[in-house]
PDB file of all heavy atoms in Angstrom:
ATOM      1  N   ALA A   7      45.775 137.401 109.150  1.00 76.00           N
ATOM      2  CA  ALA A   7      46.870 137.239 108.254  1.00 76.00           C
ATOM      3  C   ALA A   7      47.483 135.945 108.630  1.00 76.00           C
ATOM      4  O   ALA A   7      47.879 135.652 109.758  1.00 76.00           O
ATOM      5  CB  ALA A   7      47.789 138.293 108.356  1.00 76.00           C
ATOM      6  N   TYR A   8      47.660 134.992 107.636  1.00 70.00           N
ATOM      7  CA  TYR A   8      47.949 133.655 107.907  1.00 70.00           C
ATOM      8  C   TYR A   8      48.974 133.090 107.042  1.00 70.00           C
ATOM      9  O   TYR A   8      48.978 133.406 105.714  1.00 70.00           O
ATOM     10  CB  TYR A   8      46.717 132.760 107.751  1.00 70.00           C
ATOM     11  CG  TYR A   8      46.662 131.567 108.585  1.00 70.00           C
ATOM     12  CD1 TYR A   8      45.530 131.051 109.193  1.00 70.00           C
ATOM     13  CD2 TYR A   8      47.710 130.661 108.593  1.00 70.00           C
ATOM     14  CE1 TYR A   8      45.442 129.986 109.946  1.00 70.00           C
ATOM     15  CE2 TYR A   8      47.613 129.518 109.305  1.00 70.00           C
ATOM     16  CZ  TYR A   8      46.559 129.209 109.940  1.00 70.00           C
ATOM     17  OH  TYR A   8      46.335 127.944 110.687  1.00 70.00           O
ATOM     18  N   SER A  13      49.873 140.233 102.008  1.00 65.00           N
ATOM     19  CA  SER A  13      49.158 141.600 102.002  1.00 65.00           C
ATOM     20  C   SER A  13      48.435 141.616 103.406  1.00 65.00           C
ATOM     21  O   SER A  13      48.224 140.670 104.089  1.00 65.00           O
ATOM     22  CB  SER A  13      48.108 141.604 100.902  1.00 65.00           C
ATOM     23  OG  SER A  13      47.202 140.469 101.051  1.00 65.00           O
ATOM     24  N   ASP A  23      24.960 147.097 115.138  1.00 98.00           N
ATOM     25  CA  ASP A  23      23.892 147.958 115.601  1.00 98.00           C
ATOM     26  C   ASP A  23      22.577 147.366 115.783  1.00 98.00           C
ATOM     27  O   ASP A  23      22.113 146.678 114.881  1.00 98.00           O
ATOM     28  CB  ASP A  23      23.889 149.125 114.689  1.00 98.00           C
ATOM     29  CG  ASP A  23      22.954 150.243 115.174  1.00 98.00           C
ATOM     30  OD1 ASP A  23      22.363 150.250 116.268  1.00 98.00           O
ATOM     31  OD2 ASP A  23      22.846 151.434 114.483  1.00 98.00           O
ATOM     32  N   SER A  24      22.036 147.608 116.947  1.00 98.00           N
ATOM     33  CA  SER A  24      20.590 147.260 117.233  1.00 98.00           C
ATOM     34  C   SER A  24      20.302 145.690 117.034  1.00 98.00           C
ATOM     35  O   SER A  24      19.118 145.267 116.606  1.00 98.00           O
ATOM     36  CB  SER A  24      19.599 148.038 116.191  1.00 98.00           C
ATOM     37  OG  SER A  24      19.842 149.422 116.408  1.00 98.00           O
ATOM     38  N   PRO A  49      50.754 142.383 108.607  1.00 80.00           N
ATOM     39  CA  PRO A  49      49.923 142.630 109.864  1.00 80.00           C
ATOM     40  C   PRO A  49      48.431 142.436 109.700  1.00 80.00           C
ATOM     41  O   PRO A  49      47.981 142.480 108.456  1.00 80.00           O
ATOM     42  CB  PRO A  49      50.236 143.939 110.366  1.00 80.00           C
ATOM     43  CG  PRO A  49      50.476 144.721 109.156  1.00 80.00           C
ATOM     44  CD  PRO A  49      51.113 143.724 108.267  1.00 80.00           C
ATOM     45  N   THR A  61      21.397 144.637 122.588  1.00 98.00           N
ATOM     46  CA  THR A  61      20.956 143.906 123.766  1.00 98.00           C
ATOM     47  C   THR A  61      21.606 142.647 123.810  1.00 98.00           C
ATOM     48  O   THR A  61      21.467 141.700 122.973  1.00 98.00           O
ATOM     49  CB  THR A  61      19.446 143.863 123.897  1.00 98.00           C
ATOM     50  OG1 THR A  61      18.865 145.124 123.896  1.00 98.00           O
ATOM     51  CG2 THR A  61      19.019 143.000 125.217  1.00 98.00           C
ATOM     52  N   ILE A  71      37.325 141.350 122.909  1.00 96.00           N
ATOM     53  CA  ILE A  71      38.194 141.953 121.902  1.00 96.00           C
ATOM     54  C   ILE A  71      39.564 141.344 122.076  1.00 96.00           C
ATOM     55  O   ILE A  71      40.135 141.249 123.286  1.00 96.00           O
ATOM     56  CB  ILE A  71      38.294 143.439 122.111  1.00 96.00           C
ATOM     57  CG1 ILE A  71      36.820 144.074 121.853  1.00 96.00           C
ATOM     58  CG2 ILE A  71      39.231 144.089 121.183  1.00 96.00           C
ATOM     59  CD1 ILE A  71      36.614 145.506 122.250  1.00 96.00           C
ATOM     60  N   SER A  85      40.318 152.539 117.107  1.00 95.00           N
ATOM     61  CA  SER A  85      38.924 153.112 117.062  1.00 95.00           C
ATOM     62  C   SER A  85      37.836 152.183 117.248  1.00 95.00           C
ATOM     63  O   SER A  85      37.032 152.016 116.208  1.00 95.00           O
ATOM     64  CB  SER A  85      38.838 153.935 115.695  1.00 95.00           C
ATOM     65  OG  SER A  85      39.850 154.934 115.514  1.00 95.00           O
ATOM     66  N   ILE A  86      37.773 151.404 118.327  1.00 97.00           N
ATOM     67  CA  ILE A  86      36.748 150.545 118.547  1.00 97.00           C
ATOM     68  C   ILE A  86      35.862 151.278 119.604  1.00 97.00           C
ATOM     69  O   ILE A  86      36.265 151.674 120.771  1.00 97.00           O
ATOM     70  CB  ILE A  86      37.205 149.206 119.223  1.00 97.00           C
ATOM     71  CG1 ILE A  86      37.938 148.536 118.008  1.00 97.00           C
ATOM     72  CG2 ILE A  86      36.039 148.320 119.726  1.00 97.00           C
ATOM     73  CD1 ILE A  86      38.570 147.174 118.578  1.00 97.00           C
ATOM     74  N   THR A  97      27.200 134.759 131.626  1.00 98.00           N
ATOM     75  CA  THR A  97      27.694 133.676 132.495  1.00 98.00           C
ATOM     76  C   THR A  97      29.197 133.839 132.753  1.00 98.00           C
ATOM     77  O   THR A  97      29.759 133.243 133.748  1.00 98.00           O
ATOM     78  CB  THR A  97      27.509 132.275 131.849  1.00 98.00           C
ATOM     79  OG1 THR A  97      28.173 132.064 130.697  1.00 98.00           O
ATOM     80  CG2 THR A  97      25.994 132.012 131.632  1.00 98.00           C
ATOM     81  N   ILE A 103      38.484 141.933 127.588  1.00 97.00           N
ATOM     82  CA  ILE A 103      39.665 142.323 126.884  1.00 97.00           C
ATOM     83  C   ILE A 103      40.891 141.243 127.070  1.00 97.00           C
ATOM     84  O   ILE A 103      41.310 141.240 128.158  1.00 97.00           O
ATOM     85  CB  ILE A 103      40.180 143.766 127.166  1.00 97.00           C
ATOM     86  CG1 ILE A 103      39.122 144.694 127.181  1.00 97.00           C
ATOM     87  CG2 ILE A 103      41.375 144.155 126.246  1.00 97.00           C
ATOM     88  CD1 ILE A 103      38.434 144.950 125.889  1.00 97.00           C
ATOM     89  N   GLU A 104      41.137 140.531 125.969  1.00 95.00           N
ATOM     90  CA  GLU A 104      42.118 139.300 126.153  1.00 95.00           C
ATOM     91  C   GLU A 104      43.552 139.744 126.517  1.00 95.00           C
ATOM     92  O   GLU A 104      43.854 140.929 126.167  1.00 95.00           O
ATOM     93  CB  GLU A 104      42.035 138.602 124.849  1.00 95.00           C
ATOM     94  CG  GLU A 104      40.946 137.615 124.772  1.00 95.00           C
ATOM     95  CD  GLU A 104      41.022 136.192 125.627  1.00 95.00           C
ATOM     96  OE1 GLU A 104      42.110 136.141 126.211  1.00 95.00           O
ATOM     97  OE2 GLU A 104      40.175 135.493 125.484  1.00 95.00           O
ATOM     98  N   THR A 120      25.539 144.892 133.665  1.00 98.00           N
ATOM     99  CA  THR A 120      24.881 144.351 134.866  1.00 98.00           C
ATOM    100  C   THR A 120      24.818 142.860 134.859  1.00 98.00           C
ATOM    101  O   THR A 120      24.601 142.249 133.908  1.00 98.00           O
ATOM    102  CB  THR A 120      23.588 144.952 135.166  1.00 98.00           C
ATOM    103  OG1 THR A 120      22.646 144.605 134.150  1.00 98.00           O
ATOM    104  CG2 THR A 120      23.574 146.563 135.271  1.00 98.00           C
ATOM    105  N   THR A 123      28.363 137.055 135.835  1.00 98.00           N
ATOM    106  CA  THR A 123      28.722 136.159 136.902  1.00 98.00           C
ATOM    107  C   THR A 123      30.118 136.491 137.472  1.00 98.00           C
ATOM    108  O   THR A 123      30.431 136.459 138.649  1.00 98.00           O
ATOM    109  CB  THR A 123      28.704 134.634 136.472  1.00 98.00           C
ATOM    110  OG1 THR A 123      27.521 134.335 135.939  1.00 98.00           O
ATOM    111  CG2 THR A 123      29.207 133.756 137.516  1.00 98.00           C
ATOM    112  N   HIS A 129      39.595 143.114 132.120  1.00 98.00           N
ATOM    113  CA  HIS A 129      40.674 143.516 131.178  1.00 98.00           C
ATOM    114  C   HIS A 129      42.013 142.853 131.648  1.00 98.00           C
ATOM    115  O   HIS A 129      42.595 143.169 132.499  1.00 98.00           O
ATOM    116  CB  HIS A 129      40.708 145.048 131.324  1.00 98.00           C
ATOM    117  CG  HIS A 129      41.805 145.736 130.655  1.00 98.00           C
ATOM    118  ND1 HIS A 129      42.459 145.072 129.402  1.00 98.00           N
ATOM    119  CD2 HIS A 129      42.492 146.875 130.883  1.00 98.00           C
ATOM    120  CE1 HIS A 129      43.345 145.991 129.056  1.00 98.00           C
ATOM    121  NE2 HIS A 129      43.412 146.931 129.704  1.00 98.00           N
ATOM    122  N   ALA A 148      32.319 151.645 145.830  1.00 98.00           N
ATOM    123  CA  ALA A 148      32.900 150.269 146.104  1.00 98.00           C
ATOM    124  C   ALA A 148      32.056 149.165 145.325  1.00 98.00           C
ATOM    125  O   ALA A 148      32.649 148.308 144.757  1.00 98.00           O
ATOM    126  CB  ALA A 148      32.523 149.943 147.574  1.00 98.00           C
ATOM    127  N   SER A 152      33.919 146.700 142.409  1.00 98.00           N
ATOM    128  CA  SER A 152      33.863 145.128 142.339  1.00 98.00           C
ATOM    129  C   SER A 152      33.364 144.568 141.106  1.00 98.00           C
ATOM    130  O   SER A 152      33.562 143.399 140.887  1.00 98.00           O
ATOM    131  CB  SER A 152      32.924 144.800 143.378  1.00 98.00           C
ATOM    132  OG  SER A 152      31.566 145.009 143.071  1.00 98.00           O
ATOM    133  N   SER A 155      37.814 144.146 136.697  1.00 98.00           N
ATOM    134  CA  SER A 155      39.030 143.557 136.933  1.00 98.00           C
ATOM    135  C   SER A 155      39.906 143.990 135.890  1.00 98.00           C
ATOM    136  O   SER A 155      39.714 143.901 134.729  1.00 98.00           O
ATOM    137  CB  SER A 155      38.974 142.013 136.794  1.00 98.00           C
ATOM    138  OG  SER A 155      40.194 141.438 137.115  1.00 98.00           O
ATOM    139  N   THR A 172      13.154 154.432 125.987  1.00 95.00           N
ATOM    140  CA  THR A 172      12.751 152.929 125.965  1.00 95.00           C
ATOM    141  C   THR A 172      12.323 152.567 124.635  1.00 95.00           C
ATOM    142  O   THR A 172      12.359 151.283 124.254  1.00 95.00           O
ATOM    143  CB  THR A 172      11.580 152.691 126.927  1.00 95.00           C
ATOM    144  OG1 THR A 172      10.570 153.565 126.743  1.00 95.00           O
ATOM    145  CG2 THR A 172      12.129 152.904 128.382  1.00 95.00           C
ATOM    146  N   GLN A 178      19.910 154.021 126.489  1.00 98.00           N
ATOM    147  CA  GLN A 178      20.189 155.485 126.421  1.00 98.00           C
ATOM    148  C   GLN A 178      20.056 155.988 127.759  1.00 98.00           C
ATOM    149  O   GLN A 178      19.122 156.203 128.471  1.00 98.00           O
ATOM    150  CB  GLN A 178      19.223 156.100 125.500  1.00 98.00           C
ATOM    151  CG  GLN A 178      18.886 155.368 124.153  1.00 98.00           C
ATOM    152  CD  GLN A 178      20.075 155.128 123.268  1.00 98.00           C
ATOM    153  OE1 GLN A 178      20.915 156.008 123.106  1.00 98.00           O
ATOM    154  NE2 GLN A 178      20.129 154.004 122.873  1.00 98.00           N
ATOM    155  N   ALA A 180      19.928 158.315 131.166  1.00 97.00           N
ATOM    156  CA  ALA A 180      19.363 159.516 131.455  1.00 97.00           C
ATOM    157  C   ALA A 180      20.259 160.718 131.529  1.00 97.00           C
ATOM    158  O   ALA A 180      21.421 160.599 132.027  1.00 97.00           O
ATOM    159  CB  ALA A 180      18.570 159.429 132.840  1.00 97.00           C
ATOM    160  N   GLY A 182      22.508 163.874 132.621  1.00 97.00           N
ATOM    161  CA  GLY A 182      22.913 164.438 133.927  1.00 97.00           C
ATOM    162  C   GLY A 182      23.358 163.269 134.970  1.00 97.00           C
ATOM    163  O   GLY A 182      23.383 163.517 136.084  1.00 97.00           O
TER     164      GLY A 182
END
Side-chain angles (χ1 to χ4, degrees):
Y8 206 136
S13 60
D23 188 356
S24 302
T61 297
I71 300 170
S85 300
I86 296 178
T97 60
I103 309 299
E104 276 281 359
T120 61
T123 302
H129 176 25
S152 72
S155 177
T172 57
Q178 314 304 317

